[in-house]
Amino acid sequence: MSKKILVQQTNGHAEEVGKPTKRTKLERLQELQEQIQSLQNEELERLPKKRGRKPKHETTQEIPKKEQVVNFKEKILNLPYIILLKEKNALVRKRVELEKTKKEQERTIHAKQEEIQDLQHTISESQQALIRTFDSSKILQIVEPTLRKSKNPIRAIKFLQQYRKEKKQYDTLVREIDSIPFVPHVSRTETQLQLENDPSRKYKIDFLTTHRKHLEVGDKYVRLYYLADLPAYLHQTVYFKIMAYGLPFQFSVFVKPAQRNVLLKQIRRRISSLQAKQNERVKKGLIRDPEDEKAIEEAETFAQELTYEVERGMVYALTFALEASSKEELDAMHKDFINMTDGMEMVFNTYTYGQKQAFKNFMPFGEDHVNENKLLVSTAVSFLMPFVAKQLYDPHGIYLGVNVFHNSQVYINPFQVNAKDINNSNINIFGQSGMGKSVTAKLLATRMYMRGTQIIIIDPEREYSELAEALGGEVIKFSRENGINPFYVHGKTKSDMLDHILTLKTFLKFFIPIDKYDSAEMDDYLVTLYEKEEKQDFPTLLKLMKKSPMYRHVKVLNEGSLKGIFTADRKLALDRDVVVFDLYDLKRDEKREPAMYLLTSLIWNLVNTASKKNRMLFIDEAHKLLKDREVAVFFYEMVKQARKRNLGVVSITQDVKDFLGNEWGNAVITNSETKIILKQSYANLPYMDNIYPMTDSEKEAIGNFKRGEALVYREGEHLRVDIDVLPYEADFIQVKKPTEDED
């Protein structure tokens, strides 16, 4: 780059880093002028000074050479570049100094961070020491060291060495304290205490008394059991049934993996033994033993699952302890416990003269002193683990039913959108016909109404009319004699009018063949209709469409078989707390589907403003809104934006595949926080994974649900719930189909 171009690009100065003193163009020009003046003075001093006039014949003053003039010009042109070069060098020196300062500060910050980490570790250890300080045990007062982590490999190695050293000291100290003999007292008076110096005694004689089949621990009576046998088929709720039975008990579980190669050797040995036994029976002319055949088949299946790592072998031990206040109460509990476990085909044996040994399993030492183990596959062990299912309980919510796993009541609040993992108030209800969809929806509507929520229901099958009348609501029936005016705009702004035109365009599309429908032309007709001062209705619209190919298809709404349904003067209003739109008289789908879309759109326009009042819109047979793409997009957008209007949308359908097989139906499910799944047909079970991941056993359970049994998915959890109808609700909740006279 030439020096002249460099001067032009920098405008006579360079940008400075840091915060140096900024120089103006005037200051730079003054400096440049001074430099040029200095160069001129130097050049003038080099020229010979004039000493008076000389004769003509004498030699005159020598004229400067051309090279000297050129050098002088180059010096003047180089001055801006030299100035920039000086500034650049100064900035480079300053940058080096700043980088040096930055590195020093970074080293200081890093040292401070390490110092903070050391202090945090010290604080953590001190907090653990404070928490674990008990007067009753010296072992509990010792804080076990923890391994500190660091991204610096050198520090990580130092921390590991320090941890190993502290761990060794900790283990040594624990062993020393554990070796101190425990000296219980035998008797005590006001003035003296008699001690027992036998270190083998581990319990105070006045605190623990051993009997043949129970213990006296203080003022409590305890009986201990071990799991001796299991049924051939385990259900996932088997453990929850025991926990929810209501008996006061404690349990101790020991699980450890078994070595696969050892298990395979034992299984093959077992198979060989059984096969040899069967061969002996065949040689004697006897038939093969069915029980042994079943055992061989199970052993071979287990071996195959172990070989291909489908299952793992686990050593499992379960110990139960019943606790009562008296011997009689303990005997009564024993009978209840044995009856309950026998009903589940589980065998629990009690210990005779071994209660004290079994009691050690409940001490916080992690040791199994009984060793009554069973070899189980990992799936069976998962069914027998005491995991507690998550509870759904919101004190501001509505009662839904009973959690099957632990018999707790389920309360949900659909409008609790600010809680963790709760994004909207929408609900999906899926289920076969006759499995309780309508009853579930009625329960939700009734209980939310009692919480002050406005209930709006689109009812194609006249299943909610009695409910609305019982709650003092309004039932709006649609028929030729009782229709609606689809042209009425619920709003006064131009934006409201344009939004309503979009709704009408989609509505009229239901009645016009695709090859005859022209969206742009219909838009022009509707805009012209609302610009006129005449009445907005079908006759006025038909006048505008007289020459259109769509005319005779739209004419059906005004003069044909659909006359009266969409040509009435009634305007939609949501004045009551319960409003049911009864579409039962619109028997044909060509009437119901457009009516459902029109009502949904008009309701959305009515609630399409921010409001503090909670509203819940129930749409029965919601799958019919997914048949047309534009209607499906509208349905999805309504569900997606409902939360901003304090609105929840309850989508009710028995055709799950219509939802799961549709792009917008899947989106509706995704944007619904609560999903209630009732019994499904076996044909629909493979599609359940699209709602949320399920195991094969869960799918099978859904296929075997009885009426009122449901799987509820909410807050990232799924629960088995029995939906409960309370006695005072039974009179107006039950489904009543219309009679033929009403038809």
Side-chain angles (χ1 to χ4, degrees):
M1 182 183 293
S2 66
K3 300 169 187 175
K4 186 173 182 180
I5 296 174
L6 179 63
V7 173
Q8 290 175 352
Q9 289 183 352
T10 58
N11 198 18
H13 61 86
E15 295 181 358
E16 299 172 346
V17 296
K19 287 188 178 180
T21 305
K22 294 184 179 179
R23 301 175 62 192
T24 62
K25 291 184 178 180
L26 181 60
E27 291 174 344
R28 294 179 183 274
L29 290 173
Q30 289 176 352
E31 182 182 359
L32 183 62
Q33 185 179 4
E34 291 175 0
Q35 295 286 347
I36 294 172
Q37 188 65 40
S38 175
L39 286 174
Q40 287 177 347
N41 294 336
E42 289 178 3
E43 285 299 320
L44 290 175
E45 288 178 0
R46 290 199 190 104
L47 294 176
K49 297 181 180 179
K50 296 181 180 180
R51 296 182 178 177
R53 196 178 290 257
K54 291 184 180 181
K56 292 182 180 180
H57 61 274
E58 293 184 4
T59 306
T60 59
Q61 182 179 350
E62 294 182 0
I63 299 174
K65 295 181 179 179
K66 187 176 181 180
E67 292 79 2
Q68 293 177 341
V69 175
V70 172
N71 290 337
F72 178 69
K73 289 181 179 180
E74 286 185 356
K75 287 180 180 180
I76 292 175
L77 291 174
N78 287 341
L79 280 177
Y81 175 73
I82 293 171
I83 293 171
L84 291 174
L85 191 60
K86 287 180 180 179
E87 292 180 355
K88 177 186 175 184
N89 293 335
L91 291 173
V92 169
R93 289 193 297 272
K94 190 170 187 65
R95 179 179 179 181
V96 172
E97 293 176 359
L98 289 174
E99 288 179 350
K100 184 177 179 181
T101 305
K102 178 184 176 183
K103 289 180 180 179
E104 291 177 356
Q105 291 177 350
E106 287 178 349
R107 284 195 292 269
T108 304
I109 291 171
H110 186 67
K112 293 293 183 183
Q113 288 177 345
E114 291 181 350
E115 188 176 344
I116 290 171
Q117 291 178 357
D118 295 337
L119 290 174
Q120 288 176 344
H121 184 70
T122 305
I123 291 171
S124 176
E125 290 182 343
S126 301
Q127 288 176 344
Q128 292 181 11
L130 290 172
I131 294 171
R132 296 172 64 91
T133 300
F134 302 97
D135 296 334
S136 60
S137 173
K138 292 183 179 180
I139 293 180
L140 293 176
Q141 296 180 20
I142 306 172
V143 179
E144 186 176 359
T146 57
L147 177 61
R148 298 177 58 189
K149 298 180 180 180
S150 176
K151 295 182 180 179
N152 189 332
I154 298 176
R155 284 175 62 84
I157 293 172
K158 289 181 180 179
F159 290 155
L160 180 60
Q161 293 174 348
Q162 183 180 359
Y163 169 74
R164 289 177 176 174
K165 182 179 178 181
E166 293 176 352
K167 180 67 174 174
K168 188 175 181 181
Q169 294 174 354
Y170 171 80
D171 294 338
T172 303
L173 188 57
V174 169
R175 284 194 295 269
E176 290 177 356
I177 295 174
D178 190 44
S179 63
I180 299 174
F182 175 70
V183 183
H185 71 271
V186 178
S187 63
R188 179 174 54 191
T189 64
E190 294 181 356
T191 58
Q192 63 182 4
L193 179 71
Q194 182 182 353
L195 300 178
E196 175 60 61
N197 292 323
D198 184 4
S200 64
R201 301 182 65 174
K202 299 298 182 181
Y203 306 99
K204 299 178 183 180
I205 193 65
D206 60 344
F207 185 73
L208 180 69
T209 304
T210 304
H211 298 277
R212 187 170 68 94
K213 288 189 176 182
H214 71 275
L215 299 174
E216 288 186 52
V217 184
D219 59 346
K220 297 293 183 181
Y221 290 78
V222 179
R223 179 172 292 178
L224 298 113
Y225 307 82
Y226 67 89
L227 179 63
D229 198 9
L230 287 168
Y233 296 96
L234 275 177
H235 193 267
Q236 60 183 351
T237 61
V238 60
Y239 207 99
F240 295 111
K241 289 181 179 179
I242 297 175
M243 296 179 67
Y245 194 70
L247 292 174
F249 64 85
Q250 298 178 7
F251 55 86
S252 175
V253 179
F254 294 90
V255 182
K256 61 181 179 181
Q259 294 183 2
R260 187 174 63 172
N261 54 350
V262 176
L263 282 178
L264 288 173
K265 289 180 181 178
Q266 294 177 352
I267 293 170
R268 293 190 183 104
R269 192 180 300 120
R270 171 70 172 165
I271 294 173
S272 300
S273 175
L274 291 172
Q275 288 177 344
K277 183 179 176 181
Q278 294 287 65
N279 293 334
E280 287 294 327
R281 289 179 61 88
V282 172
K283 288 180 180 179
K284 293 178 181 180
L286 301 175
I287 62 172
R288 300 173 70 89
D289 188 352
E291 293 295 331
D292 289 342
E293 283 294 315
K294 182 180 178 182
I296 292 173
E297 183 181 352
E298 291 176 351
E300 289 176 345
T301 303
F302 187 22
Q304 185 177 7
E305 290 176 344
L306 284 176
T307 303
Y308 293 100
E309 297 185 352
V310 177
E311 295 277 7
R312 293 193 63 183
M314 311 293 288
V315 179
Y316 180 85
L318 176 62
T319 310
F320 263 81
L322 286 178
E323 185 179 290
S325 300
S326 65
K327 178 67 168 55
E328 293 74 16
E329 185 183 1
L330 183 63
D331 291 339
M333 288 183 179
H334 168 74
K335 292 180 181 179
D336 287 344
F337 180 72
I338 295 300
N339 290 335
M340 182 261 297
T341 54
D342 285 348
M344 294 188 294
E345 298 183 7
M346 299 179 70
V347 178
F348 281 87
N349 290 342
T350 187
Y351 295 94
T352 302
Y353 297 112
Q355 296 283 306
K356 183 177 177 180
Q357 190 72 9
F359 191 66
K360 295 179 182 180
N361 279 20
F362 294 88
M363 298 299 172
F365 305 133
E367 297 179 4
D368 185 5
H369 295 272
V370 180
N371 292 322
E372 293 288 349
N373 302 319
K374 295 189 71 62
L375 182 62
L376 301 175
V377 296
S378 52
T379 302
V381 172
S382 68
F383 287 173
L384 291 171
M385 292 301 291
F387 296 128
V388 179
K390 182 176 179 180
Q391 295 190 17
L392 283 180
Y393 178 77
D394 189 330
H396 302 290
I398 60 170
Y399 172 66
L400 183 61
V402 177
N403 189 330
V404 174
F405 292 145
H406 45 63
N407 208 31
S408 65
Q409 295 179 344
V410 177
Y411 285 81
I412 64 172
N413 182 7
F415 293 98
Q416 188 190 9
V417 296
N418 294 324
K420 182 181 179 182
D421 299 330
I422 303 296
N423 300 316
N424 56 66
S425 308
N426 304 320
I427 301 174
N428 295 148
I429 301 177
F430 301 128
Q432 269 187 317
S433 178
M435 286 297 110
K437 295 189 308 300
S438 300
V439 172
T440 303
K442 290 178 182 180
L443 288 174
L444 292 176
T446 303
R447 293 166 183 175
M448 283 190 284
Y449 162 76
M450 296 174 67
R451 283 285 187 178
T453 303
Q454 184 182 23
I455 305 300
I456 308 167
I457 304 175
I458 297 178
D459 180 15
E461 295 296 335
R462 194 171 290 167
E463 294 180 317
Y464 302 87
S465 299
E466 289 187 5
L467 173 66
E469 293 171 356
L471 298 178
E474 180 183 9
V475 179
I476 302 175
K477 295 183 180 180
F478 281 82
S479 62
R480 290 186 179 88
E481 295 76 23
N482 194 21
I484 191 174
N485 179 13
F487 292 93
Y488 177 70
V489 179
H490 297 276
K492 298 181 180 179
T493 65
K494 187 174 182 180
S495 178
D496 294 330
M497 183 263 291
L498 295 176
D499 290 340
H500 193 74
I501 287 176
L502 293 175
T503 299
L504 288 176
K505 284 174 62 179
T506 306
F507 168 69
L508 294 172
K509 190 178 177 182
F510 279 97
F511 308 98
I512 302 173
I514 298 177
D515 57 339
K516 298 292 181 62
Y517 183 77
D518 189 330
S519 177
E521 184 179 350
M522 181 61 72
D523 191 271
D524 291 339
Y525 291 140
L526 292 173
V527 171
T528 305
L529 175 68
Y530 281 96
E531 287 178 351
K532 288 179 172 292
E533 296 182 357
E534 299 180 16
K535 184 178 180 181
Q536 283 84 24
D537 54 13
F538 274 111
T540 309
L541 178 63
L542 291 171
K543 288 180 183 178
L544 299 174
M545 299 178 62
K546 196 70 174 178
K547 298 181 180 180
S548 173
M550 299 181 285
Y551 172 79
R552 69 186 189 90
H553 301 287
V554 177
K555 185 180 178 182
V556 175
L557 296 169
N558 187 54
E559 301 175 3
S561 60
L562 301 179
K563 181 180 179 181
I565 299 174
F566 305 108
T567 56
D569 293 330
R570 185 174 58 184
K571 301 172 183 177
L572 189 65
L574 303 176
D575 300 329
R576 300 287 186 89
D577 288 333
V578 179
V579 182
V580 173
F581 295 97
D582 185 350
L583 307 182
Y584 184 76
D585 290 331
L586 308 180
K587 296 185 181 300
R588 297 175 60 187
D589 286 343
E590 67 178 16
K591 304 174 187 177
R592 281 190 182 178
E593 290 181 13
M596 287 179 65
Y597 166 71
L598 182 63
L599 285 174
T600 306
S601 302
L602 297 179
I603 292 168
W604 177 246
N605 291 335
L606 285 174
V607 302
N608 197 14
T609 55
S611 173
K612 294 182 179 180
K613 186 173 184 178
N614 293 332
R615 296 185 175 98
M616 190 64 74
L617 173 60
F618 290 75
I619 306 177
D620 205 350
E621 297 187 11
H623 59 276
K624 293 186 177 180
L625 294 178
L626 300 173
K627 294 184 178 180
D628 182 81
R629 176 180 172 80
E630 292 185 17
V631 178
V633 172
F634 161 76
F635 185 25
Y636 162 68
E637 290 294 336
M638 181 182 66
V639 170
K640 183 179 179 182
Q641 300 177 22
R643 179 179 64 85
K644 300 177 183 178
R645 280 81 177 175
N646 285 348
L647 175 69
V649 180
V650 182
S651 306
I652 309 166
T653 183
Q654 63 183 4
D655 295 331
V656 180
K657 284 192 288 187
D658 286 349
F659 265 80
L660 300 178
N662 184 284
E663 174 187 0
W664 305 108
N666 270 317
V668 169
I669 294 175
T670 304
N671 283 273
S672 299
E673 194 62 45
T674 305
K675 304 172 183 66
I676 301 175
I677 303 174
L678 302 164
K679 181 179 179 179
Q680 298 293 320
S681 65
Y682 287 99
N684 288 338
L685 294 181
Y687 301 96
M688 291 294 104
D689 282 332
N690 294 336
I691 298 177
Y692 69 89
M694 293 186 188
T695 62
D696 292 338
S697 59
E698 285 177 324
K699 295 177 185 176
E700 183 180 355
I702 293 174
N704 294 322
F705 276 172
K706 297 179 181 178
R707 182 181 175 88
E709 296 180 347
L711 197 65
V712 178
Y713 183 83
R714 182 175 171 83
E715 298 182 21
E717 295 287 335
H718 53 281
L719 308 177
R720 267 279 289 106
V721 177
D722 284 342
I723 297 174
D724 194 8
V725 180
L726 301 178
Y728 74 90
E729 298 172 320
D731 293 337
F732 55 90
I733 287 296
Q734 299 302 325
V735 177
K736 181 182 178 183
K737 294 291 184 181
T739 63
E740 294 182 359
D741 295 337
E742 290 175 325
D743 292 350

